[in-house]
Structures are given as structure tokens and as C-alpha cells.
Amino acid sequence: MAHITARVEYGIHCLLWLVDPASGQPSSRDLAELQGISPSFLAKIFPRLEKAGIVQAADGIRGGYRLAKPPSEITVLEIVDAIEGHKPLFECQEIRGRCAVFDNEPPDWATTGVCGIHAVMLRAEKAMRESLAQETLASIAAVVERKAPNSFPVEVQGWLVERVNGRTSSRSRKLPNGP
Amino acid sequence: MAHITARVEYGIHCLLWLVDPASGQPSSRDLAELQGISPSFLAKIFPRLEKAGIVQAADGIRGGYRLAKPPSEITVLEIVDAIEGHKPLFECQEIRGRCAVFDNEPPDWATTGVCGIHAVMLRAEKAMRESLAQETLASIAAVVERKAPNSFPVEVQGWLVERVNGRTSSRSRKLPNGP
DNA sequence: TTAACGCGGAGTGATACAGTCCGCGTTATG
DNA sequence: CATAACGCGGACTGTATCACTCCGCGTTAA
């Protein structure tokens, strides 16, 4: 299993659809179906982004999500921590005090400060986190935008707008593609 | 659970006991009991270090392990990869091709190259791995040595030598501390 | 009133981790 | 030459997490 989970992958992919303010206020179901992932699973992810101040939620029908701040101020590290809760790269078990020559009574010099192995892992974790802190939703969106044709964002907006409008209309009428 | 597991923690702790050549050739059971961890579990870890060329194994009674190269040439990254097998930080599910507007037939521009989110995670993983590659068994041993009193390595050598000598003698005689 | 929304809690199946047990071939020692 | 400890690999167990689902609550526009 990977350290950075599918929850983060899903979260970032769906946050990217919110970068363009013209997207309005899609629901988590809208985003999940636009992205082709499980709606009920995504519904467990977005409340965490809301509590972290990454996204703003609106209640009731016509409710949904929008970014709580400019995408250039939302780092990937922020998203990862919001969804996974600052999961450490390494969990030190404090093995150092269990050396047999200590006979179950480790001296102070052996247990004070941070374990030497733990320190190495903490530096690696710091390097990883600093790398993630340099990337933002805006920087990822820019990469995607460079690859996609100009027509793509328009198509996505159309899909979203049609879906939001259909919340209270097309459910009582027919589906767009007929019965 | 953490990305870098207890196997790595146990492995590094026990490799540190092999840094001093005067330790001879302790068995995995010797190392496990010296370190206060499960012997049968450590016995699953050291064969991986052997296959990676970090450690040399000797068969038969009086067999055991010694470092296969100088501790300054054994990086922590090497140890992690040997034990865990280059486990990725993030496993991309290629969600990008599942956008609803593609209608199950994603265009080439959407699926060529590395996914923008995956690229971010790969850079973070690279930063982590580069950090781990800068640390060696020797550098960790130096930190530990700075904290321990001069008498400590001597005590450890004594414990190990007594144990290795006891392999064929004290089993047939009494235990050192009486019956 | 209805229906869709956000949200939280409980539950499920699969996988990985920590740890154990057993058996094989090898090798110094009594 | 038998023994005992060694390295090594395979099969196994229990637990925790992950991906995912289901249900019910209060909220809100049509």
C-alpha cells in the first residue's frame, strides 16, 4: 500500500475542477461523476477539506463546494494533511532502550533526545513535505491546462452547468437522452 | 501505519551492532536478543539484506552475519529498498482518463505522459529518497557513538563474545546465572 | 412537502503488517 | 557420526488500515 492514498488522489483531481470560478458550486456527487469515481467515497473526503479551510460548503439543495481561497494559496501538503491527518513517514518504537546490556534499565544517555534512526527518517519526511509544500493547486492546474485544448474547459463547464440545472428540473422530466 | 515499517527500524538497529568489526559474526538470534526484538521476525529481515549485498551470511553452526562492505558505503536508502523493495510513495490510479466528458474514450492529450498529480508525488518521493541516500550506517553510528560512554562498546562486545562462545558450551553446561 | 444537499457513524471485504512455526540443507563440535 | 545451531524459505495467524457502502440527521431551494 502506498503512503499517500487514493483519497488524496481523488481529492486533488476533484479540487482541480473547482479552480475555474465559472464552475459554480458543484456537489460532491457532481464532482465524483465528472471524475468517474465513487460518489459515496468522495463524500467522505470533502468534509475534511472543508474543516481544513481549503473548501467552502453550502448546505441544502443547490448546495455544494467552492474553493475557500485562491488556488495559488492551496498547497499539496495542505491537502494531504487535511485528508490524511499528518500521518508520519515512520513511527519510532524506541527500540534503543531495549538493549540487553541495559538489563531493562536503560541509562539516561541512551534514551534522551531523538533516536538517531528516527532523526534520519524525520529529515527524509521533512524533505518530502517541503517538496509537497512547493506545489499548489494553481501550479498543477497550469500543467493540465497546457496539455488540454481550449475547448476542454468549456465542455466541462457545460457538463457541470447542465447537471446543476438538472437537479430540480430533469429529475421530474425525462433524462436528456430520452427515456 | 507508517510507510517506512518496523522491519527497517529493526534492520538498521541490528546492522549498527555489526559496524564494529570486533563484533565478529553474530547470528540473527544474537542480534535480536541483544536488541530486545523478536528473533523469528528478525530472521525474515536479514536474508533480504544479504541478497542486496549489504551483509554477508555464513552457514552452519558458528555461522552468522557481517557487513559486506564498509559502513560508510551503506546508505539508509539502500537498506530501506532492500527490506521493503522500493515501495512507491504514491500509486497513481490513472483517474485522469475517466472524466465524464470523455465518455469512456479519453483523447490522447489526456493520457500521454505522466499525470500532473503523479508528477508532484514523484518529485516528493525523489526528495525523500535523496535525503535517505545521504545517510549511511557510518553516519548514524557516529551519532550514537557520540552519546554513549566509552565503556558501552566494550560491554556489547563482551555480551556478544560470551554468547557466541556459549553456542556449543553453555548449552551443555549450566546457564551463566545458575540453573 | 419534496428532493437533493452536507455531514457523521457504522459496517464490509481485501490487503498488508507484525509475528510465529516448521522443515530443509549446511557446518563446527563432542 | 550424531548433534545442535546456523541461514533460509514457505505457510500460517491476528490485527489494523484502506477503499467503499449504507443509513439517518438537519438544512434549504423549488
Side-chain angles (χ1 to χ4, degrees), chain A:
Chain A
M1 208 166 310
H3 185 244
I4 299 180
T5 64
R7 285 197 297 264
V8 172
E9 183 175 12
Y10 297 168
I12 299 178
H13 270 286
C14 292
L15 284 172
L16 284 174
W17 301 119
L18 302 180
V19 166
D20 188 342
S23 299
Q25 213 175 233
S27 71
S28 68
R29 293 162 186 82
D30 293 335
L31 292 168
E33 294 193 20
L34 173 59
Q35 189 52 69
I37 60 179
S38 154
S40 54
F41 191 40
L42 191 67
K44 315 244 60 160
I45 298 170
F46 264 76
R48 300 189 185 205
L49 297 170
E50 195 270 343
K51 276 205 262 302
I54 293 170
V55 115
Q56 275 191 349
D59 262 6
I61 195 173
R62 295 276 185 182
Y65 293 101
R66 58 184 185 279
L67 295 185
K69 43 184 177 177
S72 59
E73 295 177 15
I74 300 175
T75 71
V76 173
L77 178 63
E78 222 179 322
I79 300 170
V80 170
D81 281 350
I83 295 177
E84 318 222 289
H86 199 173
K87 177 168 55 175
L89 189 66
F90 172 81
E91 285 168 20
C92 185
Q93 321 257 335
E94 288 297 335
I95 294 302
R96 55 181 175 170
R98 292 205 224 152
C99 178
V101 306
F102 296 156
D103 207 20
N104 281 342
E105 285 171 2
D108 282 347
W109 64 261
T111 54
T112 53
V114 177
C115 168
I117 294 167
H118 192 187
V120 167
M121 303 306 179
L122 285 174
R123 280 194 289 274
E125 181 175 357
K126 191 181 170 205
M128 177 194 76
R129 291 174 63 82
E130 282 173 351
S131 175
L132 291 177
Q134 283 173 357
E135 314 272 355
T136 67
L137 257 195
S139 69
I140 298 180
V143 172
V144 176
E145 197 177 357
R146 208 173 303 140
K147 295 179 66 178
N150 293 337
S151 61
F152 181 62
V154 182
E155 286 184 66
V156 171
Q157 302 304 333
W159 189 94
L160 281 173
V161 166
E162 189 171 331
R163 233 189 112 87
V164 170
N165 287 341
R167 279 186 199 171
T168 52
S169 55
S170 75
R171 288 293 177 280
S172 46
R173 291 201 310 269
K174 306 289 191 197
L175 288 171
N177 292 345

Side-chain angles (χ1 to χ4, degrees), chain B residues 1 5-7 10 38 40-41 44 59-62 87:
Chain B
M1 210 164 310
T5 64
R7 286 197 296 264
Y10 296 167
S38 155
S40 53
F41 191 40
K44 315 244 62 163
D59 263 7
I61 195 174
R62 293 278 185 186
K87 177 168 57 176

Side-chain angles (χ1 to χ4, degrees), chain B residues 126-147:
Chain B
K126 190 182 171 206
M128 177 194 77
R129 291 174 63 83
E130 282 173 352
S131 175
L132 292 177
Q134 283 174 358
E135 314 273 355
T136 68
L137 257 195
S139 70
I140 298 179
V143 172
V144 175
E145 197 177 357
R146 206 172 305 141
K147 294 179 68 177

